[in-house]
Amino acid sequence: MKLLIVIPAYNELESLPGVIADLQTHCPQHDYLVVNDGSTDGTGALCRQNGWNMLDLPINLGLAGAFQAGLLYAWEQGYDAAIQFDADGQHDAAYVQPLLDKLSEGYDIVIGSRFVTVKKPITLRMAGSFIISFAIRLVTGGVKVCDPTGGMRVFNRRVMRVLANNLNYPPEPDTIAYLLRCGAKICEQQVSIRERTAGTSYFTMIKSVKYMAQTTLSILFVQWFRKNDLKEEAAEHV
Amino acid sequence: MYDSSFIGWPLQVVLILGSLLTILFMMRRIRQSKLQIQDSIFWIIFSFLLLVLSIFPELTSWVSQKLEIASPINFVYLVIIFVLLINQFLSSVRISRMDARLQQLAQRQALDEKYRAEAGAAPAADENTGASAASEEPAE
């Protein structure tokens, strides 16, 4: 399986070298693509200097837009799978191959989950995660997604096509919930996530309440009147 | 019964002046090309509606009476708020569409730039980048 590791990066000058080194050590067999999301700290220049494979967005699009650009590249270049990989050093490159192996067992999406074998801690920080998990269970008729916000996700080409070419498919839990309802085969595999090494997250704690509310509402209500893009894709490409 | 002259003349003068100024303000902006003609139509009609209502407030009381709305001013609020609500929604739709288009443009631009650079560079040049394997056989 030809895999592209998509690394959306916004102002990740400090952590990006470590991430690339990690990838080159643990999965030199896979291609990676840094999507420079209009960084202002010289992330783009750093990539050029080191000859890292980079897609240079002219403006800041945010995580969803940057990741989608990477998926579009993967789609157009004929990759079989794409994985979302954080530029802040939270993701461990050692988990890339196991996730891909799981995907080739016939799944559409494999989520690198923090809470498959490890119990989700009952903390305030995890409250949002619990609520989103519950919302997904409600709308999918009981599908358990332990770590819906887990950011390390592998997508196969069937799902990649939909995500790359359509509006409203951010790499977020509501997309996962929606794709589940569309009939995608999704599974979770245990990974562990490191603490941030440098830079600032796309997420500040202030934003996370808004994020959680938006995501939950999207899962519970908005998904009902969307059309099934996955199904249409399948019908078109049989 | 409704009193057809439910607003006194001082208020009426203020309303007429207000709506005239609104029309002038909007027309000036349109003349200065701050607004596309297609978008200006709504505001021209809307400002004329304000003017008509301020000159003939009896219209409002007449309709309110027919619809059995307790006070004519309620009818005015109802209509204006509803018209603005729809307009606001349509604006949201347009902003969303523009956002999506802008995103597509930026992504396309970045991809085309990359493809051009890759086509321009000698094949050996990207040997140490992740792109090199893209043209190779799947590693399985």
Side-chain angles (χ1 to χ4, degrees):
Chain A
M1 264 203 176
K2 211 165 85 177
L3 171 78
L4 182 71
I5 300 163
V6 179
I7 314 162
Y10 176 62
N11 290 349
E12 298 285 4
L13 193 64
E14 286 165 60
S15 53
L16 198 55
V19 170
I20 302 291
D22 189 24
L23 284 170
Q24 283 167 341
T25 317
H26 289 100
C27 31
Q29 71 275 32
H30 297 303
D31 294 350
Y32 64 87
L33 175 73
V34 178
V35 183
N36 177 30
D37 189 14
S39 297
T40 51
D41 67 345
T43 300
L46 182 78
C47 290
R48 262 186 292 270
Q49 241 169 46
N50 293 288
W52 295 335
N53 191 29
M54 172 185 60
L55 184 64
D56 201 11
L57 290 175
I59 50 172
N60 177 261
L61 292 181
L63 176 62
F67 180 62
Q68 193 186 35
L71 282 186
L72 206 53
Y73 178 84
W75 170 254
E76 291 182 357
Q77 297 293 309
Y79 283 91
D80 301 311
I83 185 169
Q84 180 187 351
F85 200 84
D86 279 4
D88 58 14
Q90 283 187 301
H91 290 168
D92 190 335
Y95 289 111
V96 169
Q97 189 60 48
L99 288 178
L100 184 65
D101 291 343
K102 192 77 189 169
L103 189 82
S104 41
E105 285 175 21
Y107 290 100
D108 291 308
I109 302 172
V110 177
I111 303 172
S113 169
R114 291 165 286 180
F115 312 119
V116 178
T117 51
V118 179
K119 199 171 147 33
K120 181 149 61 178
I122 302 176
T123 60
L124 194 60
R125 208 173 147 202
M126 281 299 137
S129 181
F130 275 106
I131 292 170
I132 292 169
S133 283
F134 182 68
I136 292 177
R137 270 179 103 152
L138 274 183
V139 300
T140 55
V143 178
K144 220 173 149 186
V145 179
C146 306
D147 191 8
T149 57
M152 204 172 172
R153 307 183 182 98
V154 206
F155 303 93
N156 71 358
R157 197 160 166 79
R158 178 166 104 107
V159 172
M160 191 200 297
R161 182 189 166 89
V162 177
L163 264 56
N165 297 294
N166 290 285
L167 189 64
N168 288 334
Y169 287 95
E172 301 293 354
D174 51 341
T175 300
I176 299 293
Y178 177 62
L179 288 172
L180 272 169
R181 290 195 44 230
C182 289
K185 277 186 77 186
I186 298 178
C187 106
E188 285 186 286
Q189 182 150 302
Q190 182 68 39
V191 299
S192 60
I193 302 287
R194 299 190 203 107
E195 285 303 306
R196 292 186 59 86
T197 47
T200 49
S201 167
Y202 267 112
F203 270 95
T204 57
M205 279 315 271
I206 309 138
K207 279 186 191 158
S208 49
V209 171
K210 190 185 159 200
Y211 166 82
M212 199 216 70
Q214 243 174 22
T215 306
T216 311
L217 286 177
S218 171
I219 291 171
L220 290 179
F221 302 110
V222 184
Q223 316 297 328
W224 300 99
F225 30 87
R226 292 176 67 172
K227 64 176 180 26
N228 189 333
D229 291 310
L230 201 63
K231 213 178 206 164
E232 280 171 26
E233 294 298 331
E236 273 171 39
H237 295 274
V238 164
Chain B
M1 276 308 287
Y2 289 103
D3 180 4
S4 61
S5 57
F6 66 96
I7 55 171
W9 70 266
L11 177 58
Q12 190 168 10
V13 169
V14 170
L15 287 178
I16 291 174
L17 279 177
S19 33
L20 275 176
L21 282 173
T22 312
I23 291 178
L24 278 177
F25 170 72
M26 287 179 178
M27 295 218 154
R28 237 185 63 162
R29 284 302 159 98
I30 294 166
R31 242 164 66 102
Q32 291 168 344
S33 303
K34 304 266 189 211
L35 200 64
Q36 289 179 34
I37 305 230
Q38 64 204 60
D39 297 321
S40 67
I41 306 282
F42 170 85
W43 293 110
I44 291 172
I45 293 175
F46 190 75
S47 55
F48 270 102
L49 181 79
L50 287 185
L51 185 66
V52 169
L53 286 182
S54 60
I55 296 174
F56 307 107
E58 299 82 9
L59 277 175
T60 339
S61 21
W62 185 77
V63 179
S64 312
Q65 202 172 0
K66 292 285 167 213
L67 293 175
E68 296 182 16
I69 294 171
S71 162
I73 198 63
N74 285 348
F75 170 71
V76 176
Y77 288 151
L78 181 73
V79 169
I80 290 185
I81 289 175
F82 183 69
V83 168
L84 289 180
L85 201 71
I86 294 297
N87 185 259
Q88 166 76 41
F89 178 73
L90 293 177
S91 296
S92 282
V93 170
R94 272 186 62 180
I95 292 170
S96 265
R97 212 173 50 199
M98 273 166 52
D99 258 357
R101 285 178 179 172
L102 184 69
Q103 183 160 315
Q104 276 177 352
L105 272 177
Q107 291 172 342
R108 194 72 260 160
Q109 192 271 347
L111 284 168
D112 287 349
E113 187 79 41
K114 183 165 179 56
Y115 294 150
R116 209 175 307 132
E118 279 169 5
D126 56 3
E127 209 167 40
N128 58 349
T129 72
S132 56
S135 51
E136 287 165 13
E137 289 297 305
E140 275 191 338

